[in-house]
Structures are given as structure tokens and as C-alpha cells.
Amino acid sequence: MTGYLTVIKAGPLTTLQDAGRFGVRHLGITQGGPVDLQAWGWANWLLANAWGSPALEVTLGGLTVIAEQTCYLALCGADMQARLDGEPLANNRAFQMQVGQELVLGMARQGLRSYLAIAGGFKAPPILNSVATVRREQLGGHHGDGSPLAPLQRLAFTKNAQSLPIRELPKAALPDYRRPPVLELIPGAQFRFFDNQSLLHVINQPWRVDPNSDRMGVRLQGPILHCSIENLISEGLTLGAVQVPPNGQPIILLNDRQTIGGYPRLGSLTPLACARLAQCPPGQQLRISLCTASQAQTQYRTFRAALDK
């Protein structure tokens, strides 16, 4: 069975995202998917949705929808001062919308992106086995062409006739976007080619998020970094890869990144560090710390195991 939400206001950038598009990078097609994997995962978990269920990624805010059928939804991520028929609505818990009720998200006041999941998941035609929206490649989304939400659009979802378990986010999972984050970096093969002073700057100096950032990459402002590598053959790029172009200011690549790149790299942020970075608005101060691949794998497995409970 299919239900619908009607979009009244779409906001500056609201897109449909499932877990992402994998196994196609050899075609030059990027991954896509939610840039804050944690908030997206918890929003689906609150509704007992399976991993990968499509949800809306709302950047900055400004979304208004009306329910055409009774449904259950959940909001996680940035605090967007949500209201249901004018009444304040808390993040991080499931709620019900009756037919004709209006959900309004204001502008983000903590964090940058919110995830709106619906019980049963949103429905859209898969492109290369995913509905993840990538605007640059014109793939995914409700129309399959990479377009973000637009006013008067009807959003189809799978109606879930089953009763929902009562769930609350574990306290350890509740985000605090007011605190400057410390993002964990796994050093890469070219780490040793940066001079000692640059490496000290990486982990001892604060960095700020550059306004020229998006789902493709987040630019940082801070000390100038120097690398001895002058020529580098382009290589495949992983999620969280930290490239350093000739101006010495790092670029951290996120879900909509290009598939290859030729700038030297410090390494890669962990997936959970990328998720936290995705909630940093322009000007946000942050720090970088080092970790091992084994530590990053343990953190990620712990996160995924929590979603299976």
C-alpha cells in the first residue's frame, strides 16, 4: 500500500537519500547517500525501518509537508525547531501525523542537516540499485533525475500497517552540535611527505569550515600545509579523504565526491567523523586527531550493532 505526503515548501536543499550507490565507481559514478550517516540511521531505527530505507535529508531547514494519510515519522540530526500543526515537536523520537496535519521545519539552529524518516520508507525508482540523490550526476531522488524536492510534489511512501515499537535514542547517541568536534583521521600513505611543522599544525591547531563547502567536499581554513610531493598520478578517492591542494588548505571529501583525485592526501576521516563534520556550518571550529584503522572499524561496528538492537 502507498501513502503520500505533499510538499508545501521544499527548503533550499531537501533530497531523498538511501544508504548510497555502491559498486559503480568504476563507471565514474559517485556514492551519494546521507552525509550524516548516524542521524539518518537513527531516524530509521526509531521507526524500525531496515538499514538503507530512504529518508529525506533536509539541509538548513525550510521544509513543510502535509500528510495525505496517517503515518509515523521521526526526525534526527539538526534542531530545526520542528512544529506539528503549530505545536513544538522534539527531535529523536517517533511521532504520528494524522490526515491533513502540517509538519513545519524552521531554520537549523544547532547542526546543519536533519533527517526525516517515515515508517515503511519513502518510495522512488531506483537508479543503479539506489534512490540516493546526486544532483551533479542527475541521478536518484523521487523522479530519478537527481532533482531536490519541489513545492506541490507528492512524496510516496510504503504504508506500514504494523504497530511500532516504542524507542528512544540511547543517551550516548544524542548529539551535541554546540561543542566543537574533534574529528578522527586515519593517516594515509602520503602522510609522511608533509613536513613536520605541517603535521604538528594538523593535530594541534584549530580549523574552521569554509563557506565554500557542500555534499561533495568540506574545505577547511587554517595553517598552510606543505607537502614534498610535486607530481601525483590520480588515485581512487575514499569517503573522508583529506586532500591538500597547492594552497595548503585541506578539502575533506564527502559522499558526492569525484571518484579520482591527484592532490596529496593526509589520509581519511573515519565514517563517523564524516557524519559529525556534515553537521558543521560554515565558520564552525573543529580539531583533528589521529586514530588507527582498527579503532575506526571498532567504532563503526559498535554503531551498526546498536542499530540492530
Side-chain angles (χ1 to χ4, degrees), residues 132-185:
T133 306
V134 181
R135 297 180 67 189
R136 187 183 74 254
E137 296 177 346
Q138 300 181 349
L139 291 177
H142 284 90
H143 297 302
D145 59 359
S147 59
L149 260 60
L152 302 182
Q153 190 173 356
R154 296 178 77 209
L155 309 179
F157 62 90
T158 301
K159 290 187 66 175
N160 187 350
Q162 299 178 348
S163 60
L164 292 174
I166 299 175
R167 287 176 166 174
E168 294 182 0
L169 255 64
K171 288 185 179 179
L174 293 173
D176 183 358
Y177 300 130
R178 296 169 299 180
R179 300 177 59 184
V182 179
L183 306 179
E184 294 178 309
L185 168 76

Side-chain angles (χ1 to χ4, degrees), residues 42 45-46 48-49 165 167-168 170 301-309:
W42 284 119
W45 179 83
L46 285 169
N49 286 344
R167 287 176 166 174
E168 294 182 0
R301 287 170 181 155
T302 301
F303 163 63
R304 288 296 305 270
L307 296 183
D308 291 335
K309 295 180 180 177

Side-chain angles (χ1 to χ4, degrees), residues 32-46:
V35 284
D36 183 349
L37 189 73
Q38 287 185 295
W40 169 85
W42 284 119
N44 275 317
W45 179 83
L46 285 169

Side-chain angles (χ1 to χ4, degrees), residues 123-249:
K123 298 171 70 173
I127 306 296
L128 297 172
N129 299 317
S130 171
V131 302
T133 306
V134 181
R135 297 180 67 189
R136 187 183 74 254
E137 296 177 346
Q138 300 181 349
L139 291 177
H142 284 90
H143 297 302
D145 59 359
S147 59
L149 260 60
L152 302 182
Q153 190 173 356
R154 296 178 77 209
L155 309 179
F157 62 90
T158 301
K159 290 187 66 175
N160 187 350
Q162 299 178 348
S163 60
L164 292 174
I166 299 175
R167 287 176 166 174
E168 294 182 0
L169 255 64
K171 288 185 179 179
L174 293 173
D176 183 358
Y177 300 130
R178 296 169 299 180
R179 300 177 59 184
V182 179
L183 306 179
E184 294 178 309
L185 168 76
I186 305 168
Q190 292 137 25
F191 187 80
R192 62 193 173 93
F193 293 103
F194 288 85
D195 64 36
N196 291 337
Q197 190 63 52
S198 293
L199 296 180
L200 287 173
H201 285 329
V202 169
I203 58 175
N204 289 326
Q205 296 294 320
W207 298 88
R208 287 191 181 278
V209 174
D210 190 297
N212 187 19
S213 300
D214 55 20
R215 283 179 47 90
M216 186 175 179
V218 174
R219 297 175 182 270
L220 299 184
Q221 300 171 344
I224 304 298
L225 305 182
H226 300 279
C227 181
S228 62
I229 296 177
E230 296 182 353
N231 295 302
L232 186 66
I233 298 174
S234 292
E235 298 176 341
L237 293 173
T238 60
L239 176 67
V242 184
Q243 287 194 134
V244 181
N247 68 2
Q249 298 292 270

Side-chain angles (χ1 to χ4, degrees), residues 77-161:
D79 178 0
M80 294 185 172
Q81 310 171 66
R83 291 182 172 272
L84 183 61
D85 273 0
E87 295 296 320
L89 188 68
N91 270 15
N92 303 314
R93 69 176 181 85
F95 60 94
Q96 188 182 51
M97 282 184 76
Q98 303 285 349
V99 177
Q101 282 194 300
E102 183 180 71
L103 173 65
V104 177
L105 303 189
M107 298 308 293
R109 58 182 177 184
Q110 290 181 23
L112 190 61
R113 296 177 170 92
S114 185
Y115 291 86
L116 178 64
I118 193 165
F122 288 101
K123 298 171 70 173
I127 306 296
L128 297 172
N129 299 317
S130 171
V131 302
T133 306
V134 181
R135 297 180 67 189
R136 187 183 74 254
E137 296 177 346
Q138 300 181 349
L139 291 177
H142 284 90
H143 297 302
D145 59 359
S147 59
L149 260 60
L152 302 182
Q153 190 173 356
R154 296 178 77 209
L155 309 179
F157 62 90
T158 301
K159 290 187 66 175
N160 187 350

Side-chain angles (χ1 to χ4, degrees), residues 35-73:
V35 284
D36 183 349
L37 189 73
Q38 287 185 295
W40 169 85
W42 284 119
N44 275 317
W45 179 83
L46 285 169
L47 299 166
N49 286 344
W51 176 263
S53 296
L56 298 182
E57 179 181 278
V58 186
T59 303
L60 294 176
L63 175 68
T64 299
V65 295
I66 290 179
E68 295 186 26
Q69 283 81 28
T70 298
C71 52
Y72 286 90
L73 303 100

